Amino acid sequence: MAAAGHLRPGSYLGDVSALSFLPSSPRPLLLAGTGSELLVYEVGAARLVAAFLVFDGVRVHGIEPRGGSPDCSSHSLAVFGERRVKLFSLGLHVSADGCEVSELQLELEQRLPGFDHWVLDARFLEVDRLLAIGLSDNSVALWDLNKRVLVTRVKSPEKCLLYSMRMWGDSVRELLVASGTILNEILIWKLAPQNLGSSLLRSYEGDTSDVNDDKIIHPGDNQYMTVHFGRLKEHEGSIFRIAWSSDGSKFMSVSDDRSARLWMLNFKSQSFVNQPASQDSVQIIPKLTLFGHSARIWDCYVSDSIVITAGEDCTCCIWGMDGKLIKMFKEHIGRGIWRCLFDPSSLLLVTAGFDSAIKVHHLCNSIFHDKVEDKVVSNGLNYDSEIFIVSSPSVLGHCGPLDSKSEYVRCLHFGEENVLYVATNNGYLHHAELSNIEDVRWTEIIQVTEKAPIICMDVMPTYSNLSLNKEDVIALGDGRGNVTIIRLTSGSIEPKVNLSFTWPAEKDRQLLGVYWCKSLECSHIFTADPRGVLKLWNIRDALFSSTDVINGPQKCPLVAVFESSFGARIMCLDASPREEILIAGDKKGNITAFPFPKILVLYDSCVAQQKMPPCDHFKGAHGISSVTSVYIKDSTSDHIEIHTTGGDGCICFFKYGRNVRKIEFFGMRQVKELGTIQSIYTNLAPESQLSTYAIGFTSADFIIWDLENETKMAQVSCGGWRRPYSYYLGTVPEYQNCFAFVKQDHDIHIHRHWAPTQDKKLLPQVLHLQFHGREVHSLCFIDPASYSNLENSSDLLIATGCEDGTVRLTRFMIGSSGRWCSSKLLGEHVGGSAVRATCFIPRTYTITDKSCNYSLNDISDNIALANKDENFLLISVGSKQVLTTWILQPRTENGQVCLNGLDVDSKQSTKNLESGDLAMSFQWLTTHMPPKLSRNRLKAGHIKQSSEEGNSSVVQPNLGVMDHMENDWRYLSVTAFLLKHPVLRLTVCFVVVACSDATVMLRALLLPSRLWFDVALLVPQTSPVLVLRHIIINASHYKDDAGDRYLIVSGSTDGSITFWNLTETVHGFMQLISETQPHMSIDCQKRPRTGRGSQGGRRWWRSLANHSLKKRDGDIPPPDGSNLSTPYAAANSSETSGVDNTQNAVHEGRDGSNSEIPSSTQSCEIPELRPIQLLSGVHQSGVNCLHISYSTPDKSYCIISGGDDQAVQCFIFTIGSLENCSATTARLNLHDNGILKILHQHKVPSAHSAAVKGIWTDGTWAFSTGLDQRVRCWRIGSSGKFTEYSHAIISVPEPETLDVFHDRANTNYQIAVAGRGMQMVEFSPPEDD
């Protein structure tokens, strides 16, 4: 808890700037510096042991532990940041069983005086009991650890500013210094005792090297001087980092020029340390130059066997000492990896960067086994990894060009890690036993009739009823349209065919797929043709007949035929007899639902062939990319969850109502690291943590991706997914995975990593929460009342929007610990466009305007319904004029992997959730984007006209507009409120957005139909608006019965604050909607775009739109809008959310038919609203932030604002009559103009020492933040005068935004500040407040 009346900075969530292992500790501990905090992690258990605040607003740049004995319970640390250095004692308390660290204590031992330059490095010199401190002016200070005094400071005569410095040695005599300058040079020098000066000077006489003549440095006590060994000029950019090897024989440097260079030091004298040092004593030899990063390199590590580099491109590269790249992985996001750390004893590699994540890799993992094992480890560790090549006997020896009769491999399928089935073009099926890779045993299982090519294959493992022997039931589909079923038992010598039978399923060349379904086991099988037709065959009697007859005649009746309305080949399916539903995905990205009655698969069922028409479908579920897998998830709610993967690199989530029988999209997760996702695999190992993996491909590599930890588990270069391939995963894919593929030489290349899991300790991959990888521009608290029924909830949720286009939901636990618990990715704006502002709508108002026809009885009857159906929305806006809406959805099932939450927490955060997983999450609702030419709009009167004429296909967006110019405008701010119609089950979200082109637009979103409309344009605006807020004045404020009033307040770049009255416009729109009810005839948006060609791809939907536009222009006369009933008529946007839907140009009606839609290319004007009040000169420059609070006793409002002029302005006012008001321009000191009556005002000219970026008030207390990295607390008096009450220095560089949650139960304030990271600050008012 914060002390009463003081601001207490809390936990920081942002970039990790320092890493270090604690040596000789009983348990492997990792030290990390983030913000002003020091974090201590137990690596083996992936547990955050403790967090300590070591500085006040100063970022931790480095951690240097002091060596100690293994039994030592206390360790010394030197922690430095900016110009500060502190020495701490870290005390360890191990549990009784010695399994874990139970408690840590950090005590400050010494506080060094502040330096005049930044500290770049620190090193303990144990021999001399000194601490060497490297400074950015190319000097080294020596601190006596016993006397606690500064011994000396030795400055190099090479006076220049440094980006980096690293030291090596355990004594002053051994100390070597490598300085990286801003002038692209590396200076190598050391300290030498002063009494060697004469000999050193003599050695420099006559020297003509490019190192400048050194002069003797005379420190205060005349002890040390500098000796320069060389100046290295090979780099072409500033030197960002230098790393020494453990023995000091070589060092690594990385630079702005994207290169890493390895240097060797050749000591001419064997007793170099004990001899007088001179420039000729050391020869610096360049050994390696490494290029492989696409951006600047930030950090490096060098040992005797490998080199590691990490850079701005978010990649970490492992190099051999021969200069060859061993492995490169990219698992961080944003602005790069700041630090990399490697422990040779445990083979642990740790990386950390801007995205706050700390990721741990074990170099024994499968990702490295194929290339690292012979380079990293020389102690005989077994990697259990194999890479080998086999060739099918029937293919062996074939070479040259191929034709239709050539023999080559068509299909591969793993039965288990040691069994591979190979099907060929001439109809052969081979069984390969891979237990001994030196002697692969091949067995020819069968050759299908007429030597027809085997087109498709699927394998279903099962167990015999008479024994526990594993059996494989193999289904083959050949080019003649026949299906062959083989039941195979693996014998000790060779596999045994127990039964096989064949029947014709399709015509020649019409059988493209055979599919087993796990829920049906081996009793039924599906076949697919090119036209989207599925057939279900009953093979139970044939497969499990009492007499096993090989190649005997068997009867396999056709049970049902399922025909898709899209006519595209079915690629995957899943069926649930329990739910009586079949879901199929096709090659064009669509999914279709079919009824699947239980009677079709009952054991004693003798139903005749049935034709099953689709009951619903979803077009463009994965755009135009193929659906690769479908999974029906069991659910106890009133709907069924459907998970799909596709060739667009997305995992999509759908709901299918048990009663409504309609597919509805509710979420999506895009895995950017994969170009196509083939399937999702869940680890169900009993002793391991639940993990979920995405299996897929990039352009040329096969990848296993851990969705929970955002890490790459395996990567194999194979040439892509178009070649025959197969994979097989064990219970723990990190250590058990197989992948086989065919190259152009027709050989089968197999990568197998199979280790006994009981001998392997699963290493969690993420220690610290992953957050945004770039600057956060906006944040808002999610009101706990919207998701928690607890009166004293200890959880706070914060929604943040980032420069990289992502929106995240982060959870913070209030209490003594005050820690960040989880951070979920809600989604990404289209194309990754930056998010500039967010807005949460905590409540829904019921419109009470008498123009809407309803009775009091109607209102009372719908009160309960309104409360039950209340919506909570989150709105994010940003670049490219993207406006995305998210809806708060309760989570119906606890304890499940959060795939449907669009992101999953790290294992570390999951373990630390004291109160379990959140029972809610936001889900994508709709996205609004303008067309490229935004002048083409339709009036809302056209909706009314079309409705009166009986046209069921009302206005849809114009997608036929060509993008002659790119949209570079961006939304800068947003505010919104929800109104519910008292009679109709309609809710309208009114959204006001401010654009960088100095326009402010009022838009309306109809729920639940997701329809967007342009309502009004707020004019005039001479300058862009930076901040928007709204005021809803309760009807009780006035004596009439006109209902609530709706005002908008804006702050502009010219320093003015403007007021707008939306009341008549809002009421007019609600009346128009209640009369026309457009949601009854217009289809809604289906799913968001991903920027990867989803929703049909740019070319596809544009051509569809152009085609439909020509038809519409010829068939339907353009509406003239002559029947507008009100001057404030709403306008249907030609830039509706349908820009994200392939069905926008030719949308499908509810009956599945295509409905033509009228043109939206007619030019007309949107109603314009003039301001009711403009206050000019509030700030000398832009109004960056603004907040409004309401005082109940005197019915007054308080507006507080901050600007670029560093000032904070506050004024208290009341609102008079809004009827028949006209625009008024006034200076702020005009106290009464009939509309606003300003009661009090006060201004603090220099509230911050830099621009004010965020502000909040409740009328009593106010909080502000600025670029000066301060949070200030202001107390507002009754007269409106406010004074600074307290301030705190925060760890967030360049703060951009601020929001406050007032916990009235505990009478304290939780302040969230975001910029380059996010931090919580707590304030408790004094007791007498």
Side-chain angles (χ1 to χ4, degrees):
M1 293 290 295
H6 294 280
L7 291 166
R8 184 181 72 90
S11 180
Y12 170 74
L13 183 62
D15 52 342
V16 178
S17 51
L19 290 175
S20 179
F21 282 113
L22 188 65
S24 305
S25 60
R27 303 283 295 174
L29 296 181
L30 176 69
L31 308 177
T34 174
S36 301
E37 290 183 299
L38 177 67
L39 309 179
V40 184
Y41 283 95
E42 192 172 352
V43 179
R47 183 172 66 95
L48 177 63
V49 181
F52 305 100
L53 186 66
V54 294
F55 290 117
D56 184 13
V58 176
R59 300 172 63 78
V60 177
H61 289 160
I63 306 167
E64 180 66 21
R66 191 176 184 180
S69 62
D71 299 331
C72 182
S73 61
S74 179
H75 298 265
S76 295
L77 305 174
V79 182
F80 59 89
E82 298 183 6
R83 297 178 175 88
R84 304 285 181 181
V85 180
K86 290 184 179 181
L87 298 181
F88 294 94
S89 174
L90 183 64
L92 306 179
H93 298 274
V94 183
S95 60
D97 56 1
C99 294
E100 64 179 18
V101 178
S102 59
E103 185 181 356
L104 284 178
Q105 292 181 350
L106 188 71
E107 296 182 359
L108 178 64
E109 288 186 338
Q110 301 181 40
R111 186 197 308 267
L112 277 65
F115 294 94
D116 56 351
H117 286 80
W118 280 40
V119 179
L120 300 179
D121 193 19
R123 185 168 183 86
F124 286 99
L125 306 179
E126 293 294 342
V127 176
D128 301 315
R129 307 289 293 173
L130 297 175
L131 176 68
I133 303 159
L135 303 171
S136 61
D137 63 342
N138 204 16
S139 66
V140 174
L142 298 179
W143 177 265
D144 193 311
L145 297 173
N146 293 333
K147 298 180 180 180
R148 302 190 176 191
V149 296
L150 185 65
V151 175
T152 185
R153 181 173 174 181
V154 182
K155 294 186 177 180
S156 170
E158 298 290 334
K159 296 182 179 180
C160 59
L161 293 179
L162 306 182
Y163 265 131
S164 59
M165 175 190 284
R166 292 301 293 272
M167 298 178 289
W168 177 87
D170 291 330
S171 65
V172 176
R173 283 181 171 271
E174 291 181 342
L175 189 65
L176 293 175
V177 183
S179 304
T181 73
I182 62 175
L183 303 177
N184 312 342
E185 298 176 343
I186 303 175
L187 305 177
I188 308 299
W189 54 286
K190 78 179 304 295
L191 302 183
Q194 181 66 34
N195 55 16
L196 299 177
S198 58
S199 63
L200 288 172
L201 286 176
R202 285 193 297 271
S203 67
Y204 291 153
E205 294 178 0
D207 180 68
T208 58
S209 65
D210 63 356
V211 178
N212 293 341
D213 292 341
D214 289 296
K215 299 179 181 179
I216 301 177
I217 301 300
H218 297 282
D221 56 0
N222 297 322
Q223 286 185 339
Y224 300 102
M225 60 171 291
T226 61
V227 178
H228 279 256
F229 295 135
R231 177 188 284 118
L232 310 176
K233 300 181 178 180
E234 279 76 1
H235 279 291
E236 298 180 0
S238 300
I239 314 301
F240 288 141
R241 192 74 168 174
I242 297 173
W244 288 93
S245 63
S246 58
D247 59 357
S249 63
K250 50 184 170 291
F251 66 91
M252 194 83 188
S253 61
V254 294
S255 168
D256 192 19
D257 61 4
R258 307 180 184 182
S259 72
R261 297 177 185 269
L262 181 64
W263 313 86
M264 300 293 295
L265 271 65
N266 183 14
F267 299 103
K268 296 183 178 180
S269 174
Q270 297 296 326
S271 57
F272 164 75
V273 175
N274 297 320
Q275 296 295 327
S278 68
Q279 191 169 356
D280 297 329
S281 302
V282 179
Q283 182 181 8
I284 305 174
I285 305 172
K287 183 179 180 181
L288 283 178
T289 301
L290 306 175
F291 288 95
H293 288 270
S294 59
R296 295 175 288 186
I297 307 177
W298 295 128
D299 201 6
C300 59
Y301 168 86
V302 59
S303 71
D304 294 334
S305 55
I306 60 171
V307 169
I308 300 174
T309 57
E312 189 180 25
D313 56 0
C314 294
T315 62
C316 182
C317 296
I318 302 176
W319 312 78
M321 297 306 292
D322 55 359
K324 294 183 179 180
L325 180 64
I326 300 175
K327 184 64 64 176
M328 177 173 65
F329 55 90
K330 182 177 181 180
E331 294 167 2
H332 290 267
I333 58 175
R335 295 204 177 275
I337 302 176
W338 294 149
R339 293 291 175 258
C340 64
L341 181 66
F342 182 68
D343 181 22
S345 60
S346 61
L347 299 179
L348 291 180
L349 172 63
V350 184
T351 58
F354 195 101
D355 61 357
S356 178
I358 301 175
K359 302 201 173 187
V360 183
H361 294 274
H362 200 293
L363 294 198
C364 290
N365 205 336
S366 60
I367 187 174
F368 304 105
H369 71 79
D370 54 345
K371 296 182 180 180
V372 183
E373 58 180 8
D374 57 339
K375 296 181 172 64
V376 177
V377 182
S378 58
N379 57 2
L381 284 179
N382 181 15
Y383 276 82
D384 304 299
S385 306
E386 300 161 308
I387 304 174
F388 54 97
I389 301 174
V390 298
S391 183
S392 172
S394 60
V395 179
L396 188 64
H398 288 261
C399 58
L402 300 178
D403 55 29
S404 60
K405 296 182 180 180
S406 300
E407 177 69 330
Y408 56 89
V409 176
R410 273 188 170 268
C411 303
L412 297 175
H413 202 294
F414 274 106
E416 53 188 21
E417 71 273 15
N418 294 325
V419 175
L420 179 66
Y421 295 101
V422 181
T424 68
N425 188 57
N426 287 342
Y428 288 98
L429 175 65
H430 294 280
H431 174 282
E433 172 60 45
L434 308 175
S435 299
N436 184 4
I437 62 174
E438 301 296 334
D439 182 19
V440 177
R441 290 186 299 170
W442 288 92
T443 304
E444 181 181 323
I445 303 299
I446 197 174
Q447 184 180 20
V448 299
T449 57
E450 304 179 23
K451 295 185 178 181
I454 297 177
I455 305 298
C456 48
M457 175 172 56
D458 200 2
V459 178
M460 172 70 78
T462 184
Y463 289 90
S464 172
N465 295 330
L466 301 178
S467 66
L468 297 179
N469 293 333
K470 179 177 175 292
E471 292 185 338
D472 288 334
V473 182
I474 307 167
L476 303 175
D478 61 40
R480 302 297 184 188
N482 300 319
V483 177
T484 301
I485 303 295
I486 306 160
R487 200 171 76 195
L488 192 72
T489 302
S490 298
S492 58
I493 301 177
E494 63 180 17
K496 177 184 177 183
V497 178
N498 296 328
L499 180 143
S500 67
F501 54 91
T502 303
W503 78 94
E506 295 288 349
K507 299 178 180 179
D508 284 1
R509 301 183 181 181
Q510 296 300 302
L511 178 59
L512 298 183
V514 290
Y515 305 105
W516 296 110
C517 185
K518 290 185 178 180
S519 60
L520 306 181
E521 297 180 344
C522 295
S523 61
H524 293 74
I525 192 169
F526 292 90
T527 61
D529 71 357
R531 301 176 301 277
V533 176
L534 273 177
K535 294 181 180 179
L536 177 63
W537 304 86
N538 185 351
I539 64 171
R540 181 188 291 113
D541 296 337
L543 186 62
F544 301 103
S545 60
S546 57
T547 58
D548 293 345
V549 180
I550 300 177
N551 294 326
Q554 300 289 348
K555 183 179 180 182
C556 300
L558 177 61
V559 177
V561 177
F562 307 86
E563 185 172 356
S564 169
S565 58
F566 297 106
R569 172 189 171 187
I570 301 298
M571 303 297 295
C572 54
L573 58 88
D574 194 12
S576 174
R578 175 184 172 186
E579 303 292 348
E580 297 189 337
I581 186 175
L582 167 67
I583 305 294
D586 65 31
K587 193 174 183 178
K588 294 186 177 179
N590 313 304
I591 62 173
T592 305
F594 298 93
F596 196 79
K598 295 179 181 178
I599 193 174
L600 294 179
V601 294
L602 290 180
Y603 184 81
D604 55 353
S605 175
C606 298
V607 296
Q609 175 184 336
Q610 298 186 30
K611 185 174 182 179
M612 296 294 179
C615 52
D616 195 24
H617 59 261
F618 194 101
K619 186 175 182 181
H622 288 272
I624 58 174
S625 302
S626 173
V627 183
T628 54
S629 72
V630 175
Y631 171 66
I632 300 176
K633 181 182 178 183
D634 293 333
S635 175
T636 58
S637 59
D638 59 351
H639 62 266
I640 304 165
E641 287 191 17
I642 303 167
H643 300 173
T644 66
T645 63
D648 57 350
C650 294
I651 308 169
C652 293
F653 310 101
F654 301 88
K655 294 186 295 187
Y656 182 80
R658 288 187 170 92
N659 301 322
V660 181
R661 299 287 178 180
K662 190 172 183 63
I663 300 176
E664 179 184 356
F665 171 89
F666 75 88
M668 179 181 70
R669 177 174 181 180
Q670 182 179 0
V671 184
K672 293 184 177 181
E673 291 75 12
L674 298 180
T676 175
I677 301 177
Q678 296 299 318
S679 65
I680 299 297
Y681 179 86
T682 301
N683 169 21
L684 299 176
E687 297 182 357
S688 64
Q689 295 169 332
L690 193 63
S691 301
T692 308
Y693 305 86
I695 294 95
F697 294 84
T698 59
S699 58
D701 296 338
F702 169 78
I703 290 177
I704 302 176
W705 185 264
D706 187 343
L707 292 171
E708 289 196 18
N709 295 314
E710 293 291 338
T711 52
K712 193 183 301 177
M713 292 292 98
Q715 180 175 2
V716 178
S717 296
C718 61
W721 57 270
R722 297 183 183 276
R723 298 177 180 179
Y725 70 90
S726 179
Y727 58 86
Y728 183 80
L729 305 181
T731 55
V732 185
E734 288 94 326
Y735 299 107
Q736 295 179 335
N737 57 78
C738 305
F739 181 69
F741 65 97
V742 178
K743 279 192 173 181
Q744 294 179 353
D745 56 5
H746 312 306
D747 290 333
I748 303 172
H749 296 248
I750 301 175
H751 292 241
R752 182 170 61 187
H753 179 60
W754 206 267
T757 56
Q758 62 270 18
D759 297 335
K760 299 291 184 179
K761 180 174 180 59
L762 297 182
L763 181 67
Q765 298 294 314
V766 178
L767 300 183
H768 199 241
L769 290 181
Q770 188 167 42
F771 194 52
H772 291 290
R774 291 182 178 269
E775 293 78 6
V776 179
H777 294 303
S778 61
L779 68 82
C780 61
F781 277 99
I782 308 301
D783 189 355
S786 62
Y787 60 86
S788 175
N789 295 325
L790 302 177
E791 295 181 359
N792 298 318
S793 175
S794 60
D795 296 335
L796 287 179
L797 293 179
I798 303 174
T800 52
C802 179
E803 176 70 24
D804 61 4
T806 59
V807 179
R808 299 188 75 93
L809 188 66
T810 305
R811 179 185 176 197
F812 182 81
M813 290 190 67
I814 307 174
S816 58
S817 59
R819 305 302 303 171
W820 301 102
C821 299
S822 62
S823 182
K824 297 181 182 297
L825 176 67
L826 296 184
E828 181 179 355
H829 275 208
V830 176
S833 53
V835 179
R836 308 296 302 186
T838 54
C839 170
F840 176 67
I841 309 175
R843 60 172 298 185
T844 302
Y845 298 88
T846 300
I847 189 167
T848 57
D849 182 44
K850 60 184 179 181
S851 62
C852 297
N853 298 323
Y854 56 83
S855 64
L856 294 178
N857 292 333
D858 293 330
I859 298 179
S860 60
D861 293 339
N862 285 277
I863 288 177
L865 181 63
N867 293 333
K868 180 180 178 181
D869 297 337
E870 188 170 4
N871 295 312
F872 301 100
L873 300 183
L874 174 68
I875 295 176
S876 58
V877 300
S879 299
K880 308 297 182 183
Q881 292 179 273
V882 176
L883 191 161
T884 302
T885 307
W886 319 81
I887 187 168
L888 188 69
Q889 292 285 357
R891 303 275 293 281
T892 58
E893 298 179 38
N894 296 324
Q896 298 293 328
V897 178
C898 184
L899 274 180
N900 56 344
L902 306 188
D903 194 37
V904 271
D905 299 336
S906 67
K907 295 178 181 177
Q908 166 65 24
S909 63
T910 304
K911 291 185 63 176
N912 287 340
L913 294 184
E914 298 178 3
S915 58
D917 198 7
L918 289 173
M920 53 73 62
S921 181
F922 281 95
Q923 295 171 359
W924 173 87
L925 181 66
T926 178
T927 297
H928 179 285
M929 286 186 65
K932 302 301 179 182
L933 302 177
S934 58
R935 302 175 187 174
N936 303 312
R937 307 181 186 273
L938 259 187
K939 295 182 179 179
H942 301 161
I943 301 177
K944 185 174 181 179
Q945 177 184 1
S946 300
S947 178
E948 293 173 352
E949 295 175 356
N951 188 349
S952 62
S953 54
V954 201
V955 175
Q956 280 286 331
N958 173 27
L959 295 182
V961 179
M962 303 296 291
D963 53 337
H964 297 295
M965 61 185 70
E966 187 67 23
N967 178 14
D968 290 329
W969 301 116
R970 62 177 56 184
Y971 288 140
L972 301 177
S973 184
V974 63
T975 188
F977 53 91
L978 278 167
L979 292 183
K980 180 181 287 290
H981 196 281
V983 178
L984 301 176
R985 297 192 62 180
L986 274 181
T987 301
V988 180
C989 178
F990 289 94
V991 183
V992 182
V993 287
C995 187
S996 57
D997 62 354
T999 60
V1000 180
M1001 178 68 70
L1002 172 64
R1003 291 192 169 94
L1005 169 63
L1006 264 64
L1007 298 176
S1009 59
R1010 311 183 191 186
L1011 295 177
W1012 283 98
F1013 299 93
D1014 283 355
V1015 180
L1017 186 65
L1018 279 59
V1019 295
Q1021 281 295 316
T1022 58
S1023 302
V1025 170
L1026 297 177
V1027 59
L1028 288 169
R1029 292 290 184 267
H1030 70 270
I1031 301 175
I1032 297 182
I1033 307 174
N1034 193 275
S1036 61
H1037 188 82
Y1038 298 95
K1039 297 181 180 180
D1040 55 27
D1041 57 351
D1044 298 341
R1045 271 70 165 181
Y1046 312 99
L1047 300 183
I1048 294 295
V1049 184
S1050 67
S1052 305
T1053 56
D1054 59 0
S1056 63
I1057 295 179
T1058 310
F1059 293 77
W1060 320 78
N1061 181 16
L1062 307 182
T1063 307
E1064 291 186 15
T1065 305
V1066 168
H1067 289 173
F1069 182 82
M1070 294 296 290
Q1071 182 180 3
L1072 184 62
I1073 291 299
S1074 64
E1075 294 175 357
T1076 59
Q1077 300 188 26
H1079 61 284
M1080 301 301 294
S1081 55
I1082 302 180
D1083 198 10
C1084 63
Q1085 182 184 5
K1086 297 298 183 183
R1087 57 153 279 183
R1089 286 172 57 187
T1090 63
R1092 278 180 156 189
S1094 290
Q1095 297 310 306
R1098 179 172 296 221
R1099 182 175 302 174
W1100 189 47
W1101 62 252
R1102 182 180 297 150
S1103 63
L1104 278 179
N1106 292 336
H1107 175 70
S1108 59
L1109 185 63
K1110 294 176 182 179
K1111 295 173 64 177
R1112 293 197 302 267
D1113 291 342
D1115 298 342
I1116 302 176
D1120 56 5
S1122 59
N1123 59 342
L1124 290 176
S1125 58
T1126 169
Y1128 294 102
N1132 181 280
S1133 173
S1134 63
E1135 53 213 46
T1136 69
S1137 61
V1139 74
D1140 293 341
N1141 189 346
T1142 57
Q1143 304 178 44
N1144 297 321
V1146 182
H1147 80 279
E1148 297 185 6
R1150 300 193 180 275
D1151 58 353
S1153 61
N1154 290 338
S1155 304
E1156 299 298 337
I1157 54 180
S1159 171
S1160 58
T1161 58
Q1162 285 71 34
S1163 177
C1164 60
E1165 296 298 328
I1166 295 178
E1168 296 181 352
L1169 290 181
R1170 300 276 173 176
I1172 61 172
Q1173 181 70 56
L1174 188 145
L1175 302 178
S1176 61
V1178 178
H1179 290 273
Q1180 297 178 6
S1181 54
V1183 181
N1184 292 329
C1185 48
L1186 181 148
H1187 196 263
I1188 306 172
S1189 65
Y1190 176 68
S1191 176
T1192 304
D1194 54 0
K1195 297 183 178 180
S1196 64
Y1197 294 87
C1198 174
I1199 288 186
I1200 189 168
S1201 61
D1204 281 334
D1205 57 358
Q1206 306 176 11
V1208 171
Q1209 174 82 55
C1210 174
F1211 61 96
I1212 300 174
F1213 64 96
T1214 59
I1215 300 177
S1217 175
L1218 299 175
E1219 304 299 329
N1220 301 321
C1221 57
S1222 58
T1224 304
T1225 302
R1227 302 293 296 182
L1228 188 55
N1229 55 13
L1230 184 61
H1231 289 275
D1232 191 356
N1233 54 26
I1235 301 172
L1236 299 183
K1237 183 179 181 180
I1238 299 177
L1239 305 178
H1240 309 284
Q1241 67 180 64
H1242 182 63
K1243 181 178 183 179
V1244 177
S1246 298
H1248 287 259
S1249 58
V1252 183
K1253 303 297 288 187
I1255 204 161
W1256 183 94
T1257 185
D1258 62 355
T1260 303
W1261 297 96
F1263 305 93
S1264 62
T1265 189
L1267 294 180
D1268 57 356
Q1269 212 169 320
R1270 303 292 193 275
V1271 171
R1272 302 187 186 275
C1273 173
W1274 310 87
R1275 187 164 190 169
I1276 303 177
S1278 58
S1279 62
K1281 185 176 181 180
F1282 60 99
T1283 56
E1284 183 176 345
Y1285 190 82
S1286 177
H1287 79 276
I1289 305 174
I1290 56 176
S1291 301
V1292 180
E1294 304 172 9
E1296 288 280 339
T1297 181
L1298 171 146
D1299 197 15
V1300 179
F1301 170 72
H1302 185 193
D1303 186 359
R1304 290 177 171 81
N1306 298 320
T1307 66
N1308 60 3
Y1309 296 82
Q1310 299 292 335
I1311 307 155
V1313 184
R1316 287 182 54 183
M1318 182 167 61
Q1319 187 175 9
M1320 295 293 291
V1321 180
E1322 186 178 1
F1323 175 74
S1324 296
E1327 296 180 358
D1328 59 348
D1329 180 53

